Amino acid sequence: MTKKDIIIIGGGAAGFFAAINIAEQHPELSIAILERGKTGLQKVKISGGGRCNVTHAEFTPSELVLNYPRGEKELLGPFHSFMTGDTIAWFEERGVELKIEDDGRMFPVSNSSQTIIDCFLNEAKKHKVEVFYNHSVKSIDARENDFKIETSQDTIIGDKVVVATGSNPKIWKLLEDLGHTIVQPVPSLFTFDIKDKRIKDIPGVVARDVEIKVLGTDLVSEGPLLITHVGMSAPAILKLSAFGAIELAKLDYNFKIEINFIRLDFESCLDQLKDFKLGFAKKTIVNSAQFDLPKRLWKQLVLASNINETGRWADINKQQLEDLSSQLTKAVFNVTGKSTFKEEFVTAGGVDLKEVNFKTFESKRIPNLYLAGEIINVDAVTGGFNFQNAWTGAYIVAKNINK
């Protein structure tokens, strides 16, 4: 049997960040991390294609929270206590410099997630945080004055517990047994599977600024769109998948989307096409891409409008002009499923937000039990926002755990 002041369940981003900050602020406390794997920090390792997307260059709390489909209201207060600027400073103070990329994502200057992992492991060692690997938690017993935790290898007694296991169904079940309400998890952040001859032969093509609606719902998104081998991805799709996670799950990932590739309405587009008909009369339509659209995408939309490859602008009839305007401003595609976005498997779901005190991240149901990261029903769009939630929650836990 092992006795510790603080037990942290989960050796991921939130778990290590909580442990290090608790140890720094309360050096008198004994702290152990219980990690079920042979190594921890696996999500950190694969995030951002192995570069670790640490956070996002958004420095206003009210703007930052808009990236959280679940947790927007709850995180506003916490972000006033610890947010992006604090994250940057925290890592810089420990020798890890971050850089901002054009899209706002922030990575270590080294471009390697190992830099972040090494920082955490070194800080944990420096502050005498013990990490027990291969310790899968089997039960959590909240007793009168402490917690008794059974793992696959030991019984560990702790005065306070921090649960930071991310989306973990087994731990959610243990928390449910302790009296917490668990919001059923569904995938968030996924790409759309679409089989359609308009996009079949053009993977890799990017439309820079589109608007997408999920027909039959209020879901709308805008931004870049990437055509892939299996369908569509990039921010316009990923935002829809995150904000529509619950609705799209109910539709069993079978639904229709309508895409406006040029952000003009049908009539305005039609007027411009009529001008092109006069201005480019002798030119072949497929070879004269308009509206800053990629040439390969333009060609497919032209062919889908019943215009042949040799058709010239002078010869296009009224119906073809209208068909082309429809393809450009309200093209409908059938979505038949979803695919995980890279290695970033994010879920909507977890401990009900009403059961967490967001001033301290302590459970409202179980005193001295704290919750940080994706174990609670918070998730974000892609771009470093899920990690920022982990850092913020873990830091606030550390600040409050010994009060």
Side-chain angles (χ1 to χ4, degrees), residues 1 35 37 50 53 66 68 71 76 88 96 109 130 179 181 199 258 264 281 290 307 347 356 371 373 382:
M1 188 181 286
E35 166 55 42
N53 185 182
L66 299 178
Y68 296 84
L76 187 59
I88 297 165
V96 179
V109 168
E130 279 194 83
T181 307
I199 61 170
E258 181 183 283
L264 286 176
Q290 302 299 323
I307 299 165
T347 58
V356 181
L371 303 146
T382 186

Side-chain angles (χ1 to χ4, degrees), residues 13-15 17-19 21-22 361 372-373 389-399:
F17 205 73
N21 282 291
I22 293 166
F361 281 77
N389 167 49
W391 314 139
T392 295
Y395 186 85
I396 290 173
V397 165
K399 208 168 87 172

Side-chain angles (χ1 to χ4, degrees), residues 23-44:
E24 271 187 355
Q25 294 176 39
H26 312 286
E28 73 285 359
L29 298 177
S30 59
I31 300 160
I33 295 175
L34 308 181
E35 166 55 42
R36 65 179 173 174
K38 285 191 295 224
T39 57
L41 299 164
Q42 283 308 297
K43 240 183 179 177
V44 171

